[in-house]
Amino acid sequence: MSDYFLKKSKQTQRTSYQNQVLPYYVVPQKTVPLLSLDESSVKKMILTFEKRSYKNQELRIKFPDNPEKFMESELDLNDIIQEMHVIATMPDLYHLLVELNAVHSLLGLLTVVDLLQELTDIDTLHESEEGAEVLIDALLEGQVVALLVQNMERLDEQVKEEADGIYNTLAIIENMAEFRPGLCTEAAQQGLMQWLLKRIKAKMPFDANKLYCSEILAILLQNNDNTRELLGEMDGIDVLLQQLSVFKRHNPSTAEEQEMMENLFDALCSCLMLPANRDRFLRGEGLQLMNLMLREKKVSRTSALKVLDHGMIGPEGADNCHKFVDILGLRTIFPLFMKTPKKMKKTGTSEKEHEEHVSSIIASMLRNLKSQQRSRLLTKFTENDCEKVDRLMELHFKYLEAVQQADKRIEGEKHEMVRRGEILDDSMEDEFYLRRLDAGLFVLQLICYIMVEISNSGISQLQQRVHQILNLRGGSVKVVRHIMREYAESIGDGKSDEFKEAERKRIMDLVDNF
């Protein structure tokens, strides 16, 4: 039987911990003979399980203070549960679990966490989509997440088997969320969000479970405004900031701890997509923490830059932009603009990502800052004989060349496709556009936006320097205008039509005056 019960290892960076995971609920097991699985043998197995489950419940109620009386029924029940692991190899028979009401009985037992984990293994679910859908529907109908959360609240992580029970429970939730992303909102509302935040901030040594919690949290928040709002209302922004503040002056001590840190940063970036959370981030002094991280030059610096970008972008980022200037953030961001750090290989960040985030932060400030703070930003560009304009133009030509080369290759491929009589459909055009973005189109657009903004600032010195370098290096105002028109067309995804229209008009006015 052992072949059936080998745990399918999850291919993630958690493997070093996973070697320590044992099945939750350890009971002396009898060897169960291998069964040739067909519909009638599975039915028989499920009915046996139902009978034994009922008998066990009956005896527990009858003799609550005398475990000896129900111990034998407990062992019989455990044996049939172990046998049922074999069903996890036949997802097309999952409908029997539902039809014979076994899902309801399974959810009533706390001893089946590892069976549920095998039944919901993501590879198994994809083997029979139909069987998987039926099982997941029944689990959700039985409020599976709420029951699993209640179960986790009862477990004591000081006991190894119970800590493993929590790990396996999180695996069930991850499997279901991966198979059906739509259940994240429901899961979060059934107590999971609250439990995750509580576990993440618990004063316990770092372990596999804390890493897994950070991963599940990041999954719940992906593309989901409902869960982002829920986290904000539960003071989750403060929890994330408190947990990340540890990495202000210290690097994570292991690869697993670094993965957890990055999961928490990802969760924070997701949350900041919701305007209401920008305000919570501001009040929780998130800007001050990110600014300190940028100055400390630890591994966290790269992710802190990404968080600032998310916090300051768009009109909802205006308050954060003003505060960033007030806490002397310009002194931190411009050295990173002038020189891309060499150490980024360690964190797996590319030069392009770094330059994109820094350019985006500066573009957001130019868009959002008013009065005194705006003057302070523009003055930065005039310092040291306009050295920052020189750097801006250097980046402009670097990315212009990269994008032009990509465009040339794409045109060649399009020409070849037309020659072969192939049709250029929308999906092909989308793929070409993604390749242009990979080459650096978005960074180029941000840099051109900064160029037209500072040229329209009323400081003649800046306008002259931009045009002087363009002419010197054979650049063209026409090319910049073309890039900005394309940028204006793509602006404001998910925003109202009025916003898009006003923003496009604002950008095109800047371009016309360039």
Side-chain angles (χ1 to χ4, degrees):
M1 177 181 93
S2 59
D3 288 347
Y4 281 122
F5 301 128
L6 280 173
K7 290 221 175 283
K8 297 184 182 179
S9 68
K10 291 170 62 58
Q11 299 304 312
T12 70
Q13 287 170 288
R14 299 193 299 270
T15 42
S16 63
Y17 284 107
Q18 260 205 291
N19 300 332
Q20 305 161 18
V21 174
L22 291 169
Y24 166 52
Y25 195 70
V26 179
V27 178
Q29 291 174 17
K30 299 174 186 172
T31 28
V32 184
L34 264 176
L35 298 169
S36 59
L37 264 200
D38 59 20
E39 197 158 318
S40 65
S41 60
V42 170
K43 271 184 182 171
K44 194 173 160 195
M45 194 187 290
I46 293 171
L47 291 169
T48 307
F49 161 72
E50 284 292 340
K51 266 186 221 160
R52 291 184 189 180
S53 174
Y54 181 70
K55 185 182 174 186
N56 178 252
Q57 275 175 324
E58 211 173 27
L59 291 170
R60 273 172 168 271
I61 292 164
K62 203 169 174 185
F63 307 107
D65 303 322
N66 192 349
E68 281 178 17
K69 296 276 189 188
F70 57 75
M71 194 57 191
E72 195 177 337
S73 75
E74 196 94 343
L75 291 170
D76 287 345
L77 178 59
N78 182 64
D79 285 342
I80 192 68
I81 289 170
Q82 293 303 322
E83 266 187 59
M84 286 169 73
H85 280 248
V86 83
I87 302 172
T89 64
M90 298 288 280
D92 49 338
L93 297 180
Y94 279 4
H95 64 95
L96 295 173
L97 286 167
V98 179
E99 286 160 18
L100 299 170
N101 207 27
V103 170
H104 184 71
S105 306
L106 284 169
L107 290 175
L109 297 168
L110 304 182
T111 55
V112 294
V113 167
D114 46 341
L115 170 58
L116 279 177
Q117 189 194 348
E118 286 202 15
L119 289 172
T120 59
D121 180 278
I122 195 67
D123 296 332
T124 311
L125 292 179
H126 284 303
E127 278 170 34
S128 167
E129 303 269 337
E130 204 177 316
E133 291 286 357
V134 172
L135 177 69
I136 300 287
D137 283 342
L139 288 170
L140 292 175
E141 208 173 299
Q143 300 262 303
V144 63
V145 179
L147 290 168
L148 291 172
V149 170
Q150 284 165 22
N151 184 23
M152 288 195 291
E153 279 170 350
R154 284 195 285 266
L155 297 177
D156 175 7
E157 289 191 66
Q158 302 305 312
V159 180
K160 175 148 181 23
E161 283 75 20
E162 298 194 13
D164 294 341
I166 285 182
Y167 189 96
N168 293 346
T169 303
L170 293 170
I172 296 167
I173 293 165
E174 184 189 23
N175 290 339
M176 293 198 306
E178 192 176 332
F179 184 76
R180 190 181 291 174
L183 65 79
C184 286
T185 302
E186 201 179 321
Q189 288 164 347
Q190 282 181 19
L192 181 61
M193 178 73 80
Q194 198 168 3
W195 186 87
L196 288 171
L197 290 172
K198 190 171 134 195
R199 177 59 181 84
I200 284 168
K201 70 177 180 183
K203 287 183 167 49
M204 292 163 72
F206 172 75
D207 64 355
N209 285 354
K210 186 166 183 175
L211 169 58
Y212 213 167
C213 286
S214 70
E215 191 170 322
I216 301 289
L217 185 66
I219 290 169
L220 287 184
L221 296 163
Q222 264 172 10
N223 307 321
N224 191 327
D225 279 350
N226 295 320
T227 54
R228 290 165 181 167
E229 195 165 344
L230 187 64
L231 179 134
E233 287 164 359
M234 289 178 172
D235 295 329
I237 301 286
D238 281 350
V239 173
L240 291 173
L241 292 172
Q242 281 158 14
Q243 290 304 307
L244 287 168
S245 65
V246 179
F247 304 109
K248 176 173 64 189
R249 294 201 170 90
H250 304 284
N251 280 333
S253 46
T254 61
E256 287 80 11
E257 196 175 14
Q258 182 170 338
E259 192 192 344
M260 181 201 70
M261 177 191 83
E262 280 159 10
N263 287 338
L264 295 177
F265 271 120
D266 286 346
L268 187 54
C269 286
S270 279
C271 289
L272 291 173
M273 306 287 270
L274 189 76
N277 284 336
R278 306 268 186 106
D279 190 43
R280 294 178 176 117
F281 176 74
L282 178 67
R283 290 198 310 262
E285 302 198 338
L287 288 164
Q288 287 88 329
L289 177 62
M290 298 306 129
N291 195 31
L292 278 170
M293 284 177 166
L294 293 183
R295 289 184 182 180
E296 287 293 338
K297 301 182 182 174
K298 297 293 178 199
V299 174
S300 58
R301 172 162 74 169
T302 307
S303 299
L305 197 60
K306 191 164 72 171
V307 170
L308 280 177
D309 186 3
H310 280 77
M312 293 159 80
I313 205 164
E316 308 87 356
D319 289 346
N320 280 320
C321 286
H322 285 89
K323 184 68 177 175
F324 188 66
V325 176
D326 293 344
I327 61 168
L328 308 180
L330 297 179
R331 290 183 190 178
T332 317
I333 202 72
F334 273 106
L336 292 170
F337 174 69
M338 291 302 290
K339 192 167 186 285
T340 299
K342 292 252 187 300
K343 279 186 184 169
M344 287 186 319
K345 298 277 187 293
K346 276 186 192 170
T347 57
T349 306
S350 68
E351 195 172 73
K352 178 168 84 69
E353 274 176 87
H354 173 88
E355 287 163 2
E356 181 180 313
H357 289 311
V358 176
S359 301
S360 180
I361 289 166
I362 294 171
S364 293
M365 288 194 288
L366 282 165
R367 186 208 181 287
N368 286 326
L369 291 179
K370 300 276 184 287
S371 62
Q372 180 206 353
Q373 284 96 337
R374 183 177 174 81
S375 305
R376 282 164 69 180
L377 174 63
L378 291 167
T379 304
K380 278 282 172 195
F381 281 97
T382 63
E383 285 174 359
N384 299 334
D385 190 26
C386 298
E387 62 174 8
K388 292 170 187 70
V389 181
D390 296 351
R391 169 65 172 159
L392 180 70
M393 300 310 291
E394 181 192 325
L395 289 170
H396 169 69
F397 285 107
K398 170 184 167 178
Y399 284 103
L400 180 63
E401 188 184 351
V403 171
Q404 283 174 339
Q405 281 180 351
D407 285 348
K408 203 170 164 185
R409 280 193 295 273
I410 288 166
E411 280 311 311
E413 284 175 44
K414 282 184 179 177
H415 184 73
E416 196 54 33
M417 285 173 77
V418 170
R419 197 180 61 76
R420 291 199 299 265
E422 291 174 27
I423 296 166
L424 278 168
D425 58 7
D426 286 350
S427 69
M428 219 43 228
E429 288 291 359
D430 288 347
E431 194 188 314
F432 285 141
Y433 186 63
L434 286 174
R435 275 172 52 187
R436 295 181 71 214
L437 289 174
D438 280 344
L441 175 65
F442 184 55
V443 199
L444 178 63
Q445 289 172 341
L446 290 169
I447 289 162
C448 288
Y449 175 75
I450 297 170
M451 285 161 61
V452 297
E453 270 277 16
I454 62 173
S455 296
N456 277 280
S457 63
I459 302 172
S460 56
Q461 190 183 355
L462 296 179
Q463 187 181 18
Q464 282 163 10
R465 189 59 156 254
V466 169
H467 286 278
Q468 183 191 353
I469 298 172
L470 264 184
N471 294 334
L472 203 64
R473 293 194 51 176
S476 135
V477 169
K478 204 165 127 189
V479 169
V480 176
R481 282 180 174 162
H482 173 72
I483 293 163
M484 287 313 296
R485 279 196 191 96
E486 191 176 14
Y487 175 58
E489 282 308 309
S490 67
I491 208 132
D493 281 349
K495 297 278 196 295
S496 69
D497 288 344
E498 298 106 275
F499 170 79
K500 285 184 194 174
E501 206 38 63
E503 190 63 1
R504 276 178 197 153
K505 185 179 182 313
R506 192 182 71 80
I507 290 169
M508 292 321 295
D509 286 348
L510 288 172
V511 172
D512 292 340
N513 295 327
F514 179 58

